[in-house]
Amino acid sequence: MRWKGRRQSSNIDDRRGRGGTPRLRLPTGRRARTGGGLGLTGILVVLVIAWVTGINPLTLLSGLEGGGSHDSPSYDTSTRQTPANDEGAQFVSVILADTEATWGEILAQHNADYPEPTLVLFSGSVPSACGYASAATGPFYCGADRKVYIDLSFYKQLAGQLNAPGDFARAYVLAHEVGHHIQNLLGILPEYQKARRTMSERDGNALSVRVELQADCFAGIWAHFAARQKGFVEEGDIEEALNAASRIGDDTLQKQAQGYVVPDSFNHGTSAQRVRWFKQGFRTGDIRSCDTFNAKNL
Ligand SMILES: [Zn+2]
C-alpha cells in the first residue's frame, strides 16, 4: 500500500503506556459544526460532490445539517500530550480515515449519517464499556461505546506467529472491526447480542459466525473502494488481506493451537468462509450483497 502522506483520522484515542487511564480525550462535547447552516460555499461544495459522485445533494445536505444527533469525540489539541506520530499509529490512522470516507459516502447514499467510531490504541490492557480488555483479546469493537480497541503489538503477532504479513493484512483487520461498527449502526449487533442471551452455546456460535463473516464482507467493501483510488492499493495487496483472512479462520487457528478442529466451537468462520465473504464484499462493493444471515451456504 502507498499510504504515507494520506489523510489521517482525528478519531484516534492514544492510550498507550497509560495503564488504561485515558488522558488525551478531554470531554470537549460535540464537534464544532457549521452552526446555522452551511453557507453558500458549503452548499456549492456539496453540489460539486453530488455532481461528481452522483449522490442526491439533498441526502448530503440532510446528513450534514442533522445538528449532530451523536457526540463525536474530539481532541483538545492544546492539551494533547503524546501525538500518535509513530509509524504504527500513523498507519492505522490513515486506514481509519479512509474507512470514514468510504462508509460516510455509502451511508449517505442510503440516506443515513455516519457517526464515526473512535480507535483506541492501547498497550497491555484497557477498560472499555464492554469490560476490561487485554492485548491477548486481540483487536475488538465495543458496541456500547462505539470504539475499536487495538494493541498494535497484535500486528507483530499477525505477521509472525499467524504468518499474515503485509500492510494490507493489517488494514483488513482494522476494516473488519469497522465492519462491526457498521453492524452496530444498522442495528444488527444489538439484535445479535439480544438473541444470543437466550441461545445455546452452539447456536450462539453459529450466529456469531454469520456476524463475523458479515464484518469480513464489509471489510471487503472497504477494500473495493480503496482499490479504486489511484496509487493507494498496490499489486499483491488484496492477496495479503485474503491470506490474513485465511490465517485467522477458526479451523486454521484451532489446528495450529491444538492440532484438531471442533466445528461447533467456531465463532468466526473457517478460513475458506472468511476468504469467501471478504471476496464477496470486494467484488460487489455493495452492502446488500453481505447478507450472511439469509445465506444458505456460508
Ligand atoms: Zn470480528
Side-chain angles (χ1 to χ4, degrees):
M1 294 184 86
R2 298 214 331 242
W3 60 271
K4 284 185 182 165
R6 297 180 74 92
R7 186 178 80 82
Q8 294 188 27
S9 172
S10 56
N11 295 315
I12 304 282
D13 181 358
D14 194 348
R15 298 190 205 165
R16 290 173 296 175
R18 298 249 164 83
T21 313
R23 281 199 302 176
L24 280 184
R25 282 267 316 292
L26 299 178
T28 52
R30 285 179 181 177
R31 176 184 296 187
R33 296 248 171 186
T34 43
L38 286 168
L40 186 60
T41 322
I43 287 170
L44 283 176
V45 169
V46 167
L47 288 176
V48 169
I49 294 172
W51 180 70
V52 170
T53 58
I55 294 170
N56 176 358
L58 292 176
T59 312
L60 281 172
L61 284 170
S62 64
L64 286 169
E65 286 191 320
S69 57
H70 61 279
D71 289 329
S72 301
S74 66
Y75 292 114
D76 179 348
T77 45
S78 61
T79 56
R80 194 171 168 179
Q81 293 171 16
T82 317
N85 59 3
D86 54 291
E87 194 165 303
Q90 280 172 13
F91 175 75
V92 287
S93 183
V94 165
I95 301 305
L96 183 66
D98 201 71
T99 64
E100 288 162 1
T102 298
W103 286 110
E105 199 171 308
I106 292 173
L107 291 187
Q109 281 168 4
H110 289 86
N111 230 341
D113 202 359
Y114 181 51
E116 294 164 353
T118 296
L119 176 61
V120 179
L121 303 179
F122 71 98
S123 51
S125 62
V126 71
S128 82
C130 301
Y132 235 83
S134 75
T137 323
F140 74 102
Y141 173 75
C142 172
D145 58 19
R146 292 184 169 179
K147 291 177 184 177
V148 173
Y149 294 82
I150 188 165
D151 181 329
L152 292 177
S153 68
F154 172 77
Y155 282 150
K156 282 200 197 89
Q157 205 188 328
L158 186 69
Q161 231 172 306
L162 297 172
N163 209 359
D167 45 16
F168 209 84
R170 299 203 296 274
Y172 152 70
V173 167
L174 179 54
H176 170 96
E177 299 307 330
V178 172
H180 286 313
H181 176 63
I182 301 299
Q183 291 176 314
N184 193 24
L185 299 180
L186 297 176
I188 295 166
L189 213 52
E191 278 299 318
Y192 157 68
Q193 277 152 356
K194 205 168 82 189
R196 192 158 182 173
R197 280 199 284 272
T198 58
M199 281 179 164
S200 69
E201 194 177 338
R202 188 185 161 166
D203 290 348
N205 282 340
L207 192 59
S208 166
V209 166
R210 290 178 191 269
V211 170
E212 294 300 331
L213 293 177
Q214 187 175 60
D216 282 333
C217 190
F218 287 173
I221 289 181
W222 165 75
H224 171 94
F225 289 100
R228 284 185 171 186
Q229 298 172 56
K230 218 172 159 220
F232 187 25
V233 177
E234 296 170 297
E235 185 89 31
D237 276 341
I238 301 303
E239 284 69 24
E240 284 176 5
L242 292 172
N243 177 51
S246 158
R247 296 289 174 184
I248 57 182
D250 285 325
D251 50 345
T252 304
L253 288 180
Q254 281 192 2
K255 244 182 251 164
Q256 202 177 328
Q258 62 199 26
Y260 56 92
V261 167
V262 187
D264 274 358
S265 69
F266 287 180
N267 53 25
H268 276 75
T270 63
S271 295
Q273 288 170 335
R274 299 199 72 166
V275 166
R276 184 189 156 218
W277 284 98
F278 177 87
K279 269 186 176 167
Q280 170 86 352
F282 180 67
R283 187 172 53 80
T284 65
D286 186 350
I287 206 165
R288 287 164 300 190
S289 76
C290 295
D291 187 359
T292 53
F293 297 95
N294 290 303
K296 279 204 187 93
N297 296 309
L298 289 174

